[in-house]
Amino acid sequence: MTKLSSKYYPLFEEVGTQFTLRAGTVLYMQGDQSSNLYLVKSGRVRMFYIGENGKEITYRIIGEGQLIGEAAFLSHLQQATISAVIDTTLITCPIQTLYPYTCSHSELNRVIFELLTKNYTELCNQIKRLTINDSAKRVASYLVDLTETDQEELGIVNHTLPYTQEELSVCLNLHRTTVARVLADFARKGLVRLGYRKIQAADMDGLRNVLR
């Protein structure tokens, strides 16, 4: 997975401000104005949308070396809410202060745009997942997309998602009992292995077949 090399952290620290966001604390709300870009130095945050009925739909979990706040490049209007999953260290930088560095460091410029493009791509994938797929395909698609490669910064190793079934249901906008039913069916077929706060994709090809 593309992420910002730690060699660039001092640059962000020089032009930005480092702070810690405690677990469960909101960084900003959808609709807030911001011209800042945020680097996740350690920890994990959740990007989610709050509907008019108060229901939350998680778009993605973002970990170490990733960037958030891409609205700083465009309208400055945040389209999602960000909160800390665990205690998280962030560096916030006004986008104007970063421009000179992105112009003089071609690799930094490339990685920043790759990260922001990835945010957009994953957002599109999640919207498609939530609006088109049935419950079984939602679960299969999510497991395949997130666990296909290790993402140690998110705690995803060996095709294993470190989520409870409740957390997975929030990410997929499904009722917990629906997720439990789908996972139980997948487990009977050998597609997944279930454990305490973890869901392992045991048969990736089998999960891909569900999507077909």
Side-chain angles (χ1 to χ4, degrees), residues 145-195:
D145 286 351
L146 265 72
T147 71
E148 190 164 19
T149 58
D150 286 354
Q151 302 182 63
E152 294 184 6
E153 68 275 9
L154 299 181
I156 300 173
V157 179
N158 193 27
H159 306 301
T160 301
L161 199 64
Y163 290 7
T164 65
Q165 294 185 19
E166 177 67 29
E167 289 168 337
L168 183 59
S169 69
V170 171
C171 292
L172 296 176
N173 195 28
L174 292 170
H175 197 280
R176 185 188 181 285
T177 56
T178 301
V179 170
R181 175 179 53 78
V182 170
L183 288 175
D185 181 57
F186 284 0
R188 283 193 297 271
K189 295 175 180 176
L191 302 180
V192 302
R193 296 189 187 96
L194 305 177

Side-chain angles (χ1 to χ4, degrees), residues 133-134 136-138 140-141 144 148 186 191 203-212:
N133 292 339
D134 61 25
K137 288 183 178 180
R138 284 192 200 182
S141 172
V144 169
E148 190 164 19
F186 284 0
L191 302 180
D203 182 353
M204 295 293 282
D205 288 337
L207 289 169
R208 291 189 185 97
N209 284 335
V210 173
L211 300 176
R212 300 189 184 102

Side-chain angles (χ1 to χ4, degrees), residues 7-28:
K7 71 181 182 181
Y8 288 115
Y9 289 7
L11 184 153
F12 275 75
E13 292 166 352
E14 178 184 342
V15 301
T17 303
Q18 179 172 301
F19 64 100
T20 297
L21 195 67
R22 298 301 179 189
T25 304
V26 170
L27 174 63
Y28 56 73

Side-chain angles (χ1 to χ4, degrees), residues 16 66-67 95 124 131 151:
Q66 304 295 308
L67 298 173
I95 194 63
C124 290
T131 56
Q151 302 182 63

